[in-house]
Amino acid sequence: MTSGQGVWITLEGGDGSGKTTQANLLATWLEDAGRTVVRTREPGGSEVGQLIRDIVLHHRGDIAPRAEALLYAADRAHHVATVVRPALARGEVVLQDRYLDSSVAYQGAGRVLDGAEIRDLSLWAAEGALPDLTVLLDLAPEAARVRLDSADKPFDRLEAEKNEFHARVRDAYLALAAAEPERFLVLDASASPDELAESIRTRVEALFA
Ligand code: TYD
């Protein structure tokens, strides 16, 4: 494995694409198979990260795009160093909502910064760490919006962005997946949760084979 003895799986996709549901289903399945699973997320997978999460998601008023990118990168640096690497070194499965692909998609394409620079910044922050598998739950922004509306939760700063922003995010994700087909599993997130879970399990089983 590129990441040490453990296995590192990240879930990516737009807001409302169903990442949390799939992460929960996969975690249960892995635990039932006797694996130790560390469920984590960015931003906010560490104590320092919780503070950063509060700023990036709930600060009232604008944050300069480069400052936003650095805040996510700072969260990532601390999270990878203190949560992800130690768990992988213990041989555990790290199951993580969002990682550097989120930054390339949201800060790069969404905020119109240079995607390659954002990726380099994240790789610097994480000392080059890349997951063994990244599951991309692909969903049209209009369909995602319907799901977010029905969830009846107040929108955070990113969710509140227009469909046009989320369309750029989606296109960027698909381009990232096309560039690294061996790391990505791309799934149509309009499929049923059970169908999606089955496809993910098949790919994850291959990781352990
Ligand atoms: P998430 O935890 O998925 O939100 P929720 O708990 O509401 O489902 O993600 C928080 C937001 O942060 C999401 O809109 C995407 C955004 N984000 C970035 O813009 N860049 C990043 O690098 C990361 C990790 C997240």
Side-chain angles (χ1 to χ4, degrees):
M1 294 285 146
T2 48
S3 41
Q5 304 157 263
V7 170
W8 187 15
I9 301 167
T10 57
L11 288 107
E12 295 282 358
D15 298 280
S17 59
K19 293 181 299 303
T20 309
T21 303
Q22 289 307 319
N24 289 340
L25 290 170
L26 184 58
T28 305
W29 180 74
L30 286 164
E31 281 164 356
D32 287 349
R35 307 219 174 248
T36 304
V37 178
V38 174
R39 276 279 278 123
T40 187
R41 66 174 177 180
E42 292 186 7
S46 65
E47 224 173 283
V48 169
Q50 285 291 347
L51 300 170
I52 297 174
R53 182 179 172 94
D54 200 39
I55 301 172
V56 284
L57 298 191
H58 304 302
H59 174 71
R60 287 168 201 274
D62 287 344
I63 299 178
R66 282 165 193 266
E68 184 181 271
L70 287 163
L71 286 163
Y72 281 112
D75 167 70
R76 184 156 302 134
H78 192 70
H79 181 235
V80 168
T82 65
V83 177
V84 178
R85 285 191 192 276
L88 293 174
R90 292 192 299 268
E92 296 169 1
V93 182
V94 176
L95 189 49
Q96 178 172 332
D97 278 17
R98 298 192 181 279
Y99 186 52
L100 92 182
D101 303 297
S102 281
S103 280
V104 179
Y106 282 78
Q107 279 64 57
R111 300 292 189 216
V112 204
L113 295 171
D114 182 314
E117 284 180 3
I118 296 293
R119 183 183 159 89
D120 286 348
L121 173 69
S122 279
L123 285 173
W124 177 81
E127 297 183 83
L130 279 174
D132 299 292
L133 171 66
T134 298
V135 178
L136 172 58
L137 296 175
D138 176 53
L139 191 63
E142 298 74 21
R145 183 65 70 191
V146 171
R147 290 188 183 178
L148 290 175
D149 284 344
S150 65
D152 205 25
K153 277 197 312 184
F155 289 165
D156 65 40
R157 282 179 61 254
L158 283 296
E159 287 167 350
E161 287 290 344
K162 296 188 286 292
N163 275 0
E164 196 195 318
F165 174 99
H166 290 288
R168 288 202 301 276
V169 167
R170 182 196 192 190
D171 289 347
Y173 269 135
L174 291 172
L176 284 166
E180 278 184 86
E182 64 299 332
R183 174 161 69 91
F184 275 88
L185 170 66
V186 183
L187 297 173
D188 174 356
S190 64
S192 75
D194 284 347
E195 280 174 294
L196 291 169
E198 185 57 39
S199 305
I200 294 171
R201 281 176 204 147
T202 304
R203 178 69 178 255
V204 169
E205 258 171 349
L207 273 184
F208 291 106

